[in-house]
Structure formats: structure tokens, C-alpha cells
Amino acid sequence: MQDIEYFYRHFPVLETERLILRELTAYDVRDIKKYSADDRLYTYWGRRMSYKERDPSEMFRTIRKDKQPDCIRWGIEVKSTREIIGEINLFNIQNSRMGEIGYRLAFERQGRGYCTEAVRRIIKFCFEETSLQRLELRAMAANEASNRVALKCGFIKEGFIRQGKFVHMYVNYNLYGLLRSDIYDDSTDENNTPEQYDEENTEKEYSY
């Protein structure tokens, strides 16, 4: 089991029955544009489309060497077609202890169980291969599909936030949480102790 920082340097490629979750590259620009430049994808995304999403080639033009990673971003590839149809992110990671999952899928690929399959694989990775103990997931209250994904994946609804900040918008949204101990027996897990404190003085903000 590794601290999550290890995987910033050694990108984890994950596999499911139908999907490969892998790092996005410049070769994926055509596929990325199919979903990222679709206005329908931003109804529940919390912000408008960025210029890099309208032209995904911009994402790969410059890579800042000095920027420390604080998230892992997987492309969702369908095995049968080798096409990237969306992405799933592990971000807002704090002290290798907890993190948040976010995802989006090409509009025409929704409703086929791909997101549920990908999220379940990320959960398995986080709790079996890293030291993360808690995962969070946020979904707009109006986004019925995303809320169903959270529940299907075992997340527990922990709160209903009224007009809270969701990326760049103020909306009603649901907060879900999932603990490692919700799935695994942690009776012998020394990492799951109340003596661990948050020593960070500043919060990290995920940049889309």
C-alpha cells in the first residue's frame, strides 16, 4: 500500500470489464473534444466551458514543470472501440488521508453504466492500493443520474447543501462520503487512528 503521492509519479492504469482508465495524452485530443466541447455536458458541471475544453489541444501545449500535482486524472477508454469517452478525477487530496471523486461522460454515452463501473474501480484502487481512508463525492441535487451513481457505488449521503458553492456556481447539492471501514475490516489497520491530525494550513483548490 502506497501514499497517494507515489502515484503522482507512477501513473496507475486501471482496468474493468469494459474500460481502461489511463492517462490522457495529446493523441486523445479528437476524442476529448467530442465530449468536452459539448455544451450539454456543463448543465451540472458547476461552470461554463473553458477555452481549453473548447479546444483540448491547448491542454497539452505547455506543461508546467514547477507545478506540484494534487490530483490524478484518468481518461475513460472503452476497450472495444479504444475511444476516450470521458474522464474521472481523484482530487482535493488531503494528507494522503482523504480525497474527492469527480467524473463526466460524453452525453451520448450516458445511461450505460460506464460511470458506475469506473467509480467502483477507483474506489477499489484507493482503498486497496493507497493509504486513503475517506472518499467524497458531490452531485447537484438536480442531477439524478450522478446521484444514482453515488448510491450504486456504496456512497452514503451525508448532507444536503442548500445554495452552496459548487465549483463556480451556488446551487443545492448532495454530499456523499465513503470510508474504507465501510467496505473493509479495519480492526488491525494502524493508519485508521484518531491520532492523525490535519497539519495543512491551506486548502487546495482543484483547477479544472
Side-chain angles (χ1 to χ4, degrees):
M1 186 173 292
Q2 300 281 354
D3 283 344
I4 194 66
E5 286 84 358
Y6 171 85
F7 295 103
Y8 296 157
R9 304 183 302 275
H10 305 85
F11 194 94
V13 178
L14 309 176
E15 193 168 338
T16 72
E17 181 180 354
R18 298 182 294 171
L19 307 171
I20 296 175
L21 308 181
R22 62 166 176 81
E23 190 170 14
L24 292 169
T25 73
Y27 294 104
D28 300 314
V29 165
R30 180 179 297 180
D31 288 345
I32 296 171
K33 189 171 183 177
K34 288 180 182 178
Y35 65 85
S36 71
D38 186 344
D39 285 321
R40 295 173 296 180
L41 201 65
Y42 299 86
T43 302
Y44 303 117
W45 196 235
R47 60 170 176 78
R48 297 178 179 177
M49 185 190 309
S50 70
Y51 77 94
K52 288 186 178 180
E53 287 162 328
R54 193 173 298 280
D55 180 9
S57 62
E58 293 291 332
M59 298 179 184
F60 304 98
R61 291 194 192 283
T62 57
I63 300 175
R64 287 180 55 186
K65 301 294 185 181
D66 60 329
K67 184 176 181 181
Q68 295 298 313
D70 59 357
C71 68
I72 303 176
R73 181 189 183 199
W74 289 270
I76 302 174
E77 178 184 304
V78 178
K79 287 181 178 179
S80 60
T81 63
R82 304 301 299 271
E83 178 187 4
I84 293 291
I85 61 169
E87 62 198 55
I88 183 166
N89 305 317
L90 178 65
F91 63 102
N92 200 20
I93 298 167
Q94 301 176 36
N95 292 334
S96 293
R97 176 75 182 189
M98 60 183 287
E100 187 170 346
I101 293 177
Y103 46 82
R104 59 180 181 174
L105 201 69
F107 189 82
E108 66 274 7
R109 296 289 191 139
Q110 296 176 15
R112 304 182 190 181
Y114 289 128
C115 270
T116 299
E117 191 171 326
V119 171
R120 285 174 174 165
R121 184 64 183 91
I122 298 301
I123 292 170
K124 180 178 174 66
F125 162 72
C126 288
F127 289 157
E128 293 188 3
E129 299 184 47
T130 84
S131 56
L132 293 178
Q133 299 292 316
R134 173 180 170 83
L135 294 172
E136 292 184 351
L137 191 155
R138 300 166 196 266
M140 285 191 190
N143 189 350
E144 296 180 3
S146 189
N147 283 279
R148 284 197 300 270
V149 169
L151 295 173
K152 284 181 180 179
C153 293
F155 279 86
I156 297 169
K157 184 177 176 180
E158 296 179 339
F160 172 70
I161 311 301
R162 298 181 301 160
Q163 294 300 301
K165 189 175 183 181
F166 190 92
V167 190
H168 295 160
M169 298 174 62
Y170 289 87
V171 298
N172 296 336
Y173 68 86
N174 294 315
L175 172 63
Y176 295 91
L178 182 65
L179 301 180
R180 186 181 188 278
S181 58
D182 291 333
I183 303 176
Y184 303 98
D185 178 9
D186 278 2
S187 58
T188 59
D189 187 354
E190 295 180 356
N191 291 325
N192 193 25
T193 61
E195 285 75 21
Q196 292 195 7
Y197 296 102
D198 183 356
E199 296 179 353
E200 292 185 350
N201 294 321
T202 60
E203 295 182 355
K204 296 179 179 178
E205 183 176 339
Y206 177 60
S207 177
Y208 288 84

